[in-house]
Amino acid sequence: MTRNEETLWRRWAGARDGAAFAALVALHHGWVYDFARRVSGHDADAEDLAQEALLELSGAPEDRPLAVGLKAFLGRRIGLGARMLRRAALTRRRHEAAAAAPEATPA
């Protein structure tokens, strides 16, 4: 985390300074979206993952350790979210395939 990021984070965590959080989002939004796009493979999913990660970052800043770093935190959140999306898509495909399969008739 750079000195500027640390200063902004401390302002956000200490006084809930909205301008500081907006500056952090502005600094990282491009990277967050690009990373989410790479791991999800879809624009719409990337937008959702980026928004979720940034929203989670905004909640309870005192619980977010500075030692981890913002990119590490955001990257982990995006990675976990993308895994959940892939799992949900696989489950949906299985259910759709099962529903589309003809039922066996008793002999």
Side-chain angles (χ1 to χ4, degrees), residues 81-104:
R83 191 173 344 164
M84 289 172 47
L85 286 174
R86 284 191 298 273
R87 190 175 302 144
L90 178 61
T91 301
R92 185 176 53 251
R93 282 193 301 272
R94 285 182 183 155
H95 286 264
E96 289 171 352
E103 292 186 32

Side-chain angles (χ1 to χ4, degrees), residues 11-33:
R11 284 177 38 204
W12 168 245
R16 291 294 227 183
D17 181 350
F21 187 75
L24 283 169
V25 169
L27 282 172
H28 292 285
H29 186 267
W31 177 86
V32 167
Y33 176 79

Side-chain angles (χ1 to χ4, degrees), residues 1-2 8 15-16 19 21 25 37 40 42 52 56 65 68 74 78 80 84-85 88 94 97 99 101:
M1 183 179 298
T2 67
L8 291 169
R16 291 294 227 183
F21 187 75
V25 169
R37 177 68 174 92
S40 72
H42 302 284
E52 287 174 17
E56 188 169 329
V68 171
L74 293 167
I78 290 166
L80 291 172
M84 289 172 47
L85 286 174
R94 285 182 183 155

